[in-house]
Amino acid sequence: MPQTFTQLLNAMPTTRLAPSPTGALHLGNARTFLANWLLARERGWRIILRIEDLDGPRIKRGADQQAIEDLQWLGMDWDEGPIYQSSRRDAYAKAVRRLIEGGFAYPCICTRKEVDLAASAPHAEDGAAVYPGTCRGRFASIEAARNASGREPAIRFNVGTEIVEFVDQVRGSQRFQMARLGDFVIQKADLTPAYQLAVVVDDGEMGMTEVVRGNDLIDSTPRQIMLYRALGLADRIPNYWHLPLVVGPDDRRLAKRHGDTRISHYRERGVPASRVLELLNRWLRIDSKQTESIVFTADDDAFLRAVD
Ligand code: GLU
């Protein structure tokens, strides 16, 4: 069968760099981006730059441009994009409608506080309350939920009693009992699509075959796999690569408390990109299936700041 150029392009192995413009790139996420980029360039994957700018209140003005400059300063490039998620709201709304109509998702009027306070709510490993299922099967329609509460409901995906298994390219076999993660939000009460939904709609439509990201998102993967299946996209589920996180000497995820590790900070202080790359390269041992966290030490910081 003859193929169009677009079909050929969509059949290529493809990955994405997907910064959220909620803050600046720091050494930790720069390492993940670099690992993703190197894998892509070594293996001939197409790279799409996607700006994940849906999280309204947390988006910082100009952070998208800053992320682009930081990635470029470190020598990374891409074949397509930037594509802004905020420009694709229709696609997400359509998917939400489809999931409701298919009986996979339902309206939920619980507030976050109610979920946190529900006596029966167990807590997932990350400390977030597991949704106790209060609104599952409760309303015949969105309209009914709206009438009952006087406000717009959120939409949740029903995970049921599913067990999701997948093989991570770095961490090996994974198995998740979905009831322990709970029904998750796919559209917030302010009608903003939630991260899980937007990512699957985009990754599915953009032909993503490889998803490389930090291990803090590994719990999202079984949820995303369920969304692929429910949306009829089971044949498009990508390979997942969950990379270890960079932590501080206290074993906590790299953050402000460990000092200013933003890429822009080093750049402004005159640290050459080659020096930052040297450190990031030391942290890249993907082929050895590294799963241990990487520790950013005072020596590393001193190494970056030392001017030859
Ligand atoms: N935008 C997310 C982040 O910056 C990445 C999401 C993903 O890779 O699925 O953490």
Side-chain angles (χ1 to χ4, degrees), residues 16 18-20 33 50 52 195 199 203 211-213 216-217 224:
R16 77 288 205 285
S20 298
F33 285 120
R50 186 170 75 214
E52 305 210 320
Y195 157 73
V199 161
D203 286 349
V211 167
V212 183
R213 59 190 175 196
D216 51 334
L217 287 168
Q224 293 174 9

Side-chain angles (χ1 to χ4, degrees), residues 62-287:
D64 54 337
Q65 209 43 49
Q66 177 80 61
I68 290 172
E69 279 166 28
D70 288 346
L71 291 170
Q72 286 172 333
W73 185 70
L74 290 170
M76 287 177 246
D77 62 356
W78 39 90
D79 308 304
E80 217 181 296
I83 297 173
Y84 284 77
Q85 286 193 319
S86 55
S87 70
R88 292 182 35 79
R89 286 179 191 273
D90 289 352
Y92 310 134
K94 201 166 132 200
V96 170
R97 275 199 304 277
R98 184 167 168 179
L99 292 169
I100 295 172
E101 281 160 18
F104 295 104
Y106 60 86
C108 168
I109 59 170
C110 300
T111 60
R112 177 170 300 198
K113 204 163 161 196
E114 282 163 353
V115 176
D116 285 342
L117 289 178
S120 61
H123 284 70
E125 269 156 38
D126 63 0
V130 173
Y131 183 65
T134 320
C135 290
R136 194 189 302 141
R138 186 170 168 197
F139 302 108
S141 63
I142 295 195
E143 195 62 51
R146 222 179 259 140
N147 291 340
S149 65
R151 55 176 188 268
E152 192 60 35
I155 307 295
R156 279 187 193 269
F157 186 87
N158 182 356
V159 297
T161 53
E162 199 85 12
I163 290 174
V164 175
E165 294 180 323
F166 65 95
V167 178
D168 187 84
Q169 303 299 308
V170 181
R171 308 186 75 84
S173 293
Q174 304 291 315
R175 186 171 196 270
F176 286 85
Q177 277 179 358
M178 297 311 288
R180 295 177 68 166
L181 297 177
D183 293 350
F184 58 91
V185 172
I186 56 170
Q187 180 176 281
K188 301 179 195 171
D190 64 4
L191 299 178
T192 307
Y195 157 73
Q196 308 289 1
L197 188 271
V199 161
V200 171
V201 170
D202 285 351
D203 286 349
E205 281 185 22
M206 296 171 190
M208 228 52 82
T209 59
E210 314 295 324
V211 167
V212 183
R213 59 190 175 196
N215 191 39
D216 51 334
L217 287 168
I218 198 158
D219 277 4
S220 290
T221 299
R223 295 176 172 117
Q224 293 174 9
I225 288 175
M226 286 198 82
L227 284 172
Y228 272 100
R229 291 181 184 153
L231 288 167
L233 300 171
D235 57 336
R236 304 228 190 135
I237 296 172
N239 293 321
Y240 289 98
W241 308 66
H242 287 94
L243 306 181
L245 297 183
V246 179
V247 297
D250 57 357
D251 213 27
R252 291 166 75 191
R253 183 170 6 155
L254 200 61
K256 281 202 183 111
R257 62 180 160 266
H258 301 114
D260 194 345
T261 64
R262 289 173 306 152
I263 299 302
S264 57
H265 169 76
Y266 294 113
R267 182 166 52 159
E268 280 153 23
R269 304 257 326 223
V271 178
S274 57
R275 205 152 186 110
V276 177
L277 284 168
E278 201 177 323
L279 179 65
L280 295 179
N281 270 324
R282 258 193 247 156
W283 288 347
L284 289 171
R285 279 165 292 162
I286 304 166
D287 286 340

